[in-house]
Amino acid sequence: MSDESGTKDIPAGSPSGGPRPEPIRFFGTSWVDHGNGYALRRAGAAAGSLAAAVASCLILRFAYEGLQIADTGSFVTVLVIAMFAICSALAFRNTWDSFGSRPDPDRQASLRGLLAIGFVGTLLAYFFRSLAEAPGEKLHREEYEAARREHQQRGARRTGNPSKKKRRR
């Protein structure tokens, strides 16, 4: 697998030749030609992520009601609400940006806790991206097309059998 693109090169002797597209979660490689139930998968991903976001908001509401019952005071309540709102906004932005470029693994590791708290933002980003395309499809398509162009250029330079080449004297 290439470090840059994530596409896999097929060995030279294989029947199809060239790079293979990288599968996307829930979509496999159906994003390449939009076949094999791609539209239905996209609708399912959008509906599933929206349903999960709504269910998550209901769970957060139960947590809020628990704070009200515990009578922790307005400061703690405002602090918890602000924490979830800010973390959700940051998680949304981080997830949305990761659909367009490969995220830095070290940065992702440092943001793991924030992204876990802001899970609603991640689900909403997935929902909104699913309305337009498979999440991450644009990035994968750019990488796949670049790998295909590079493979074609490499193949164009190597024509003929080098062992049959006439030698200059």
Side-chain angles (χ1 to χ4, degrees):
M1 182 183 283
S2 171
D3 290 337
E4 299 169 2
S5 66
T7 58
K8 300 174 183 172
D9 280 334
I10 296 174
S14 64
S16 60
R20 289 184 290 184
E22 183 178 359
I24 297 176
R25 181 183 299 157
F26 304 125
F27 294 91
T29 57
S30 67
W31 60 268
V32 176
D33 59 356
H34 292 186
N36 196 15
Y38 172 80
L40 188 61
R41 289 176 191 221
R42 241 184 60 207
S49 59
L50 183 62
V54 168
S56 300
C57 288
L58 288 174
I59 291 171
L60 289 177
R61 177 170 166 111
F62 292 141
Y64 173 77
E65 288 176 359
L67 287 175
Q68 293 300 327
I69 292 171
D71 195 28
T72 56
S74 62
F75 178 72
V76 173
T77 303
V78 169
L79 196 63
V80 168
I81 291 171
M83 175 193 62
F84 275 107
I86 291 170
C87 289
S88 290
L90 292 172
F92 179 92
R93 179 62 187 210
N94 186 55
T95 304
W96 191 264
D97 289 344
S98 72
F99 293 143
S101 63
R102 298 244 178 218
D104 179 29
D106 294 332
R107 184 172 183 268
Q108 286 296 105
S110 67
L111 291 176
R112 187 174 296 132
L114 181 132
L115 295 175
I117 294 170
F119 60 96
V120 175
T122 300
L123 291 169
L124 289 175
Y126 206 83
F127 166 71
F128 286 120
R129 183 58 93 166
S130 293
L131 295 176
E133 66 178 8
E137 178 181 346
K138 181 180 177 186
L139 172 65
H140 284 77
R141 189 170 300 284
E142 289 171 356
E143 292 173 347
Y144 177 60
E145 294 299 326
R148 285 184 57 198
R149 278 193 304 275
E150 181 182 317
H151 178 76
Q152 288 173 348
Q153 288 173 353
R154 279 191 314 221
R157 288 191 298 253
R158 290 181 273 153
T159 57
N161 187 347
S163 66
K164 293 183 179 179
K165 191 162 131 181
K166 294 183 180 179
R167 305 219 190 268
R168 291 185 185 176
R169 291 186 188 196

